[in-house]
Amino acid sequence: MAAQWLRVKLPSLSNHKHQDQVKATLERFAFPIIGKLPIDSIGRAQLVEAVRAAQTGGRVETAHRVAGRITAVLNFAQDAGLIEHHGAAGLTRVLIPRAIKRPMASLPPNEAGALLQAIDTYGEPITRLGLRLLALTFVRAGELRGMRWDELKEGGALWVVPAERMKLRLPHVVPLSRQARAILSELRQITGDAALVFNSLQRPGHPVSENTFLFALYRLGYRGRMTAHGFRALASTVLNEQSGFAQDVIERQLAHKETDAVRAAYNRAQYLTQRRELMQWWADWLDSQSAPASPIRAIG
């Protein structure tokens, strides 16, 4: 039954690594204990034994995933009419609770200006410009690291991130503000002969390492206060609270998951004009934060 469920389930998963993980967890943790038992003879005690064994050694997250996958296989058997009921309901309650995931560190909007000024002092130019572009585009760090010159369209006014680099495995369009295009012009002087915008100087032909931007923020004194992903949270907060743009427009630009499939298919083609305006508004807002304050003129 697990093999039949996997044939249905695996094609729906976004990448081969995830597919391998789903299959491997069943093979390693479920099959040795319940794999050879008739599907209608597996009792609650055996299910509990399997998931608790998976938890051994502190593998709490793994055990919760095993419980979910065992339950899915038994639900599949139930839907196929092979069993009328099973004992996997609420199986995770016998496990240690999952750790609560804390949101990625992100600065409040009133500290954005100081951060941008600090970034401008960073000595290594590719990293400095990358952090600035990350702030301006608020894409995920992996999407930016893999950016290629041939992904720029409309004379550099539009960046199309291919589906394979997106979390939701759907292409994503990023309108580029004047400020973003200026940064790319600087980067072209450094890496323009390579295919990758953020071509590694240490390993040509490869993007800069995945921790490049995070470690740069650490060096600037923002450890525990700001992450590369934090620019997304900052943009979301400011755009929703201050910009006046519709939430749908903001969500499309953040490339967040749309829960309604029909709405998602429709909206992905929408709002490009508004998104161009949004990205320019955001770039201008960042400039307004990082500009030095005007001196106070004495009266008298």
Side-chain angles (χ1 to χ4, degrees):
M1 286 312 304
Q4 290 184 39
W5 175 75
L6 286 167
R7 281 196 291 271
V8 174
K9 176 67 176 178
L10 295 187
S12 71
L13 301 180
S14 59
N15 58 65
H16 292 299
K17 181 179 178 181
H18 192 190
Q19 293 173 355
D20 291 342
Q21 288 173 339
V22 170
K23 187 170 183 288
T25 52
L26 287 173
E27 291 174 345
R28 181 178 177 186
F29 300 111
F31 291 177
I33 296 174
I34 60 174
K36 294 184 179 180
L37 297 175
I39 196 78
D40 60 354
S41 71
I42 302 173
R44 175 74 174 189
Q46 291 157 314
L47 296 174
V48 169
E49 180 187 357
V51 298
R52 281 184 170 162
Q55 185 177 253
T56 303
R59 294 184 295 257
V60 175
E61 183 63 30
T62 297
H64 279 264
R65 290 174 181 171
V66 170
R69 287 158 193 169
I70 288 174
T71 303
V73 171
L74 293 174
N75 285 340
F76 186 78
Q78 189 176 40
D79 293 341
L82 297 179
I83 54 176
E84 291 187 7
H85 54 81
H86 59 74
L91 193 54
T92 56
R93 69 171 177 254
V94 305
L95 299 171
I96 297 170
R98 281 171 156 149
I100 298 173
K101 292 185 177 179
R102 295 180 180 179
M104 294 285 188
S106 179
L107 292 176
N110 63 1
E111 295 185 33
L115 170 62
L116 294 169
Q117 290 173 12
I119 288 171
D120 285 343
T121 69
Y122 198 79
E124 200 285 302
I126 293 179
T127 305
R128 181 180 71 252
L129 294 169
L131 283 170
R132 270 289 190 168
L133 197 58
L134 200 57
L136 286 163
T137 59
F138 51 87
V139 295
R140 298 174 181 88
E143 295 156 12
L144 188 72
R145 287 173 51 244
M147 186 182 194
R148 298 173 59 91
W149 289 112
D150 60 11
E151 292 170 359
L152 299 177
K153 311 298 180 185
E154 296 186 5
L158 210 63
W159 170 30
V160 180
V161 188
E164 59 267 23
R165 244 182 21 257
M166 294 299 300
K167 183 177 180 180
L168 299 181
R169 294 300 184 265
L170 296 167
H172 180 49
V173 175
V174 183
L176 296 172
S177 62
R178 293 188 303 274
Q179 294 89 329
R181 296 197 297 273
I183 286 174
L184 285 166
S185 294
E186 290 188 59
L187 281 164
R188 197 176 282 277
Q189 301 301 312
I190 306 171
T191 65
D193 293 334
L196 291 162
V197 175
F198 293 95
N199 189 52
S200 172
L201 299 180
Q202 288 72 38
R203 298 179 64 211
H206 295 81
V208 295
S209 76
E210 61 182 332
N211 287 320
T212 295
F213 301 128
L214 179 62
F215 288 174
L217 289 168
Y218 287 175
R219 294 185 190 101
L220 290 170
Y222 284 88
R223 181 188 288 269
R225 299 178 58 217
M226 186 61 174
T227 62
H229 197 83
F231 288 109
R232 292 173 58 75
L234 175 64
S236 179
T237 297
V238 173
L239 290 169
N240 278 292
E241 293 180 358
Q242 302 184 33
S243 74
F245 286 93
Q247 186 177 20
D248 274 356
V249 177
I250 298 169
E251 290 297 292
R252 290 290 71 69
Q253 198 53 56
L254 284 163
H256 281 164
K257 184 176 182 179
E258 175 60 70
T259 55
D260 184 318
V262 174
R263 181 183 174 88
Y266 182 66
N267 283 346
R268 270 195 295 278
Q270 276 194 325
Y271 308 131
L272 188 54
T273 298
Q274 296 98 313
R275 285 160 64 184
R276 291 182 199 271
E277 295 171 358
L278 178 148
M279 296 303 279
Q280 189 57 57
W281 184 96
W282 170 244
D284 292 341
W285 184 89
L286 289 174
D287 278 356
S288 74
Q289 301 304 300
S290 58
S294 301
I296 299 174
R297 183 175 298 175
I299 301 175

